[in-house]
Amino acid sequence: MPVPDDGPADASRQGPGGRSRVWLGLAAVVVGLVDQVGRVLPAQWPRRHLDFSWMLGLDLVRGQEISFGPDFIFSYGPWGFLASPSGVDPVTLVASGSLRFVAVMLLFLAIASTLRSLRFAVPVAAVVCLLVANGGQPGWILLLAMTAWVLTTTIRRVRPPWWAVAVAATVSALLFQMKFTEGVLGVALVGVLVLAGDRLRSAIVAVVAFVVAFPILWVWAGSDLVDVPEWLRLGWEVVRGYSDAMNYEDPNILFVVLLLALVATALTALTARGLPLLGRVCALGALAFFGRLALGMPDGGHLMPAYAAVLTVLVVLLAARGVPMVVGAFGLVVATCLALLLIVGTPLLPPRQVTFDDPSLAAWPSERKKEVAQARSDLVADLSIDPEVVEALRGHPVSVDPWEISAAWAHELDWSPLPVFQQYSVFTPRLDELNAEALLADRGRRVLRERQVHHDRNPVWESPAYTLALLCHFRAVAEDGSWTAYARTGRSRCGAEQQVQTRRVAAGEEIALPTPRGALVAVRFTPDHRAPTDRALGVLGIARNLLHATVDGTRWRLPEALAQGPLLVGAPDSEPVLFGAEPGRSISFDRAGELEIVEIPLETAATKRER
């Protein structure tokens, strides 16, 4: 981000600590290079893990004619591959590393500008920048640089030049297409800049820059412009359903995180007293966004960037209060940040070693093919898929359930992703229907499915409509106990749904389920609305009284949006799609609501013989 200027300065003392702009620029380059130490490309070779699989998926989809929107939707956008490259594509590695380098330099310049009245502004800014950037992705670091710059601009009552507004709007367009939620904050920050400047002119410049940059970036990433509206709608579906499906529920963790968030909010409010109204609103708004992130998923990968962002806001505000407060409070703030980083178990410096024995340095062309082959070989061994299962998939477009895309890459299969390519991200009925429709659109498609459970969610209920489509229209052609290959059948095995029972149930009331006889048994549940206080806390990221279902003593978390299913609870025979589970005998929910039990006639080997 451009460094704001609040007035003329002595030519001999430009920038923080009396350093010239040239030296400040050189310092920014050094900080950017130091940040790269231990992050030599590639950042991560593909391996067996839920997160590494979506990173790989974002890389692989670039090489296919797939447009983001109805054909492919995730919390990351068409430029999301820049956030966490998997290592398989040298172009994305270089692009991501370059973006990170620039983002770290901009963050350093923004912080150094904030602290320029401090005698040791440059080293202090370097320390803060490296701490803040350590656990963040390139887009996140860029967003923090933008936040620090906009905050400084508003606090100093500087009117940003038109070209700076244009740059900020262009950056926000990129952030939007890297990760939906980060783009929302980017757009909000541009709005703050418009209010801080010549409002009409700044608004026109911002709108024009965003409207021009967004389609250029979108098409450059390989997506179709006509899919933008659908991508926005589906992106909102992902954001809207995330909290209900993914938020932590552990009250002990949430209490600690909430307490820290309240302390940070109080400190921010105190340090913002007396500052311009727009600056205070911007600081508290940014803090709310970052705190919401920490509360939504309080693990190391989400907590550390959130707390680093809070540190950035506090540094800017403390600097605005004057040098004595910065000097006095800096040690406390950094100590708190370091303690938080250690609490979440994240190393303060990149753990990879910079030696030529490290495979992460094997991005050089002479070594790359060998290392890619080794990564594939390691994955094949780790996945342990029976050769018969793999052979049943060759020559067909293949989707992988529930998330291990690395299996398709390791065995060099023709990966053809469903729109929501990892099932735990199917948060709403619309996303579920998209996957079910895509599954049936190509009769040549085959499915590789692993027996896996995501935390405390029932794998059969992750995507109810899709699971029913898979059971009705596909059959197992090879399996090894953990992995199953499915092929399309000539016709559907399922008949029309028939209602068996509908009734109101109380919270915790146990309902007997019918025994499956020639039909699938499923339930649809419409829970009563949560209390207003629970819904209000949910907006803040605090999960309370979320929906759970208990089947034969096993408790499953159930996203409320998917509760109307149909949630399969039993089949007349052992069905691979249901992982051979025994039919459920009873079910209960921890919230009151309307329960409907249905049967779906199913053709089995026994019914075929009867005919």
Side-chain angles (χ1 to χ4, degrees):
M1 293 293 99
V3 179
D5 190 2
D6 57 352
D10 185 334
S12 65
R13 293 183 64 81
Q14 301 176 27
R19 302 288 186 179
S20 69
R21 294 185 185 276
V22 172
W23 286 110
L24 185 62
L26 290 175
V29 172
V30 171
V31 171
L33 291 174
V34 170
D35 175 75
Q36 291 290 339
V37 172
R39 302 181 192 276
V40 182
L41 306 179
Q44 298 288 353
W45 287 112
R47 50 180 165 161
R48 181 183 175 88
H49 191 275
L50 182 149
D51 287 333
F52 293 124
S53 279
W54 67 250
M55 296 175 195
L56 176 62
L58 291 178
D59 257 352
L60 294 180
V61 80
R62 286 187 63 251
Q64 305 184 33
E65 294 182 0
I66 297 177
S67 178
F68 275 70
D71 297 331
F72 195 86
I73 187 67
F74 194 53
S75 54
Y76 289 79
W79 288 93
F81 63 87
L82 293 175
S84 299
S86 66
V88 301
D89 186 345
V91 175
T92 62
L93 291 173
V94 173
S96 178
S98 300
L99 178 63
R100 183 184 180 90
F101 178 68
V102 171
V104 170
M105 288 197 301
L106 291 174
L107 179 60
F108 167 79
L109 291 173
I111 295 175
S113 174
T114 297
L115 300 173
R116 63 186 181 182
S117 60
L118 186 63
R119 180 174 179 80
F120 301 105
V122 170
V124 170
V127 171
V128 173
C129 178
L130 291 173
L131 282 173
V132 167
N134 179 58
Q137 299 170 341
W140 183 253
I141 299 169
L142 195 59
L143 184 65
L144 295 188
M146 191 172 173
T147 302
W149 173 60
V150 172
L151 262 177
T152 304
T153 298
T154 57
I155 289 172
R156 292 180 178 171
R157 295 187 175 92
V158 177
R159 181 168 292 183
W162 68 268
W163 59 267
V165 176
V167 170
T170 301
V171 169
S172 68
L174 175 61
L175 290 172
F176 219 110
Q177 294 184 40
M178 287 182 67
K179 192 170 184 179
F180 195 91
T181 49
E182 292 176 8
V184 170
L185 180 58
V187 170
L189 290 171
V190 172
V192 172
L193 277 183
V194 169
L195 295 175
D198 182 352
R199 297 185 179 181
L200 179 59
R201 183 184 181 188
S202 296
I204 294 172
V205 169
V207 170
V208 170
F210 188 89
V211 169
V212 170
F214 194 96
I216 291 175
L217 290 168
W218 185 267
V219 173
W220 191 6
S223 291
D224 296 330
L225 277 177
V226 295
D227 291 329
V228 170
E230 187 68 4
W231 178 73
L232 292 173
R233 283 193 292 270
L234 294 175
W236 174 245
E237 291 270 316
V238 173
V239 172
R240 181 171 63 89
Y242 183 92
S243 297
D244 192 27
M246 302 293 287
N247 273 18
Y248 271 34
E249 297 181 274
D250 188 328
N252 297 318
I253 294 178
L254 288 176
F255 175 77
V256 172
V257 176
L258 181 59
L259 181 61
L260 291 172
L262 291 174
V263 170
T265 302
L267 184 57
T268 300
L270 288 173
T271 53
R273 290 178 61 190
L275 298 178
L277 177 61
L278 187 60
R280 281 180 284 164
V281 172
C282 181
L284 290 172
L287 190 71
F289 178 89
F290 299 136
R292 174 68 176 78
L293 171 70
L295 286 165
M297 184 64 75
D299 57 18
H302 293 79
L303 274 177
M304 194 173 78
Y307 285 129
V310 172
L311 173 62
T312 303
V313 173
L314 290 175
V315 166
V316 173
L317 293 176
L318 290 169
R321 303 298 299 178
V323 175
M325 181 168 285
V326 172
V327 176
F330 180 76
L332 175 62
V333 173
V334 171
T336 302
C337 180
L338 295 176
L340 292 169
L341 297 179
L342 292 172
I343 286 171
V344 299
T346 304
L348 302 179
L349 293 175
R352 290 178 290 281
Q353 300 295 319
V354 186
T355 68
F356 283 93
D357 293 326
D358 192 322
S360 66
L361 285 176
W364 306 114
S366 60
E367 295 290 327
R368 181 165 184 77
K369 288 185 178 180
K370 181 177 72 175
E371 292 299 334
V372 168
Q374 184 61 51
R376 275 202 166 100
S377 176
D378 292 343
L379 259 176
V380 167
D382 193 17
L383 295 167
S384 299
I385 306 176
D386 191 278
E388 183 182 351
V389 174
V390 176
E391 286 305 313
L393 301 168
R394 293 205 184 279
H396 300 271
V398 176
S399 53
V400 183
D401 293 346
W403 59 72
E404 201 58 65
I405 292 125
S406 62
W409 179 80
H411 288 279
E412 301 183 73
L413 300 173
D414 179 13
W415 182 55
S416 176
L418 298 170
V420 187
F421 66 105
Q422 290 188 313
Q423 282 192 352
Y424 71 91
S425 296
V426 178
F427 301 141
T428 67
R430 173 62 180 143
L431 299 176
D432 187 19
E433 289 295 337
L434 272 179
N435 272 11
E437 292 167 4
L439 177 71
L440 302 179
D442 183 355
R443 299 190 67 86
R445 177 184 293 274
R446 297 208 168 179
V447 178
L448 174 62
R449 200 158 190 252
E450 184 184 16
R451 186 187 292 258
Q452 277 280 18
V453 177
H454 184 257
H455 297 315
D456 54 354
R457 287 165 60 180
N458 190 326
V460 176
W461 297 349
E462 290 275 34
S463 186
Y466 167 82
T467 301
L468 181 61
L470 182 67
L471 192 151
C472 294
H473 295 272
F474 283 73
R475 61 184 176 87
V477 292
E479 55 184 316
D480 63 11
S482 297
W483 297 88
T484 306
Y486 293 88
R488 183 74 179 265
T489 58
R491 59 188 179 85
S492 174
R493 302 167 56 205
C494 299
E497 180 179 301
Q498 301 168 2
Q499 186 182 88
V500 175
Q501 180 184 4
T502 180
R503 57 172 295 177
R504 172 133 187 115
V505 297
E509 181 181 358
E510 193 169 284
I511 304 299
L513 295 170
T515 302
R517 290 188 175 87
L520 300 168
V521 177
V523 299
R524 298 181 183 273
F525 184 64
T526 305
D528 292 347
H529 293 301
R530 287 189 293 165
T533 52
D534 290 338
R535 294 201 297 271
L537 290 172
V539 173
L540 298 175
I542 303 170
R544 283 196 0 163
N545 296 324
L546 297 180
L547 183 62
H548 298 81
T550 301
V551 179
D552 295 341
T554 302
R555 188 171 186 259
W556 302 102
R557 179 169 173 175
L558 178 59
E560 189 170 328
L562 298 176
Q564 294 191 29
L567 307 175
L568 296 173
V569 291
D573 288 339
S574 177
E575 289 288 342
V577 171
L578 304 183
F579 302 112
E582 292 292 324
R585 297 184 299 276
S586 66
I587 191 169
S588 64
F589 299 87
D590 57 4
R591 298 222 324 253
E594 299 293 330
L595 175 67
E596 181 184 11
I597 301 176
V598 300
E599 288 186 343
I600 304 169
L602 178 69
E603 182 183 82
T604 63
T607 56
K608 279 185 178 180
R609 286 194 297 270
E610 290 174 4
R611 292 178 182 176

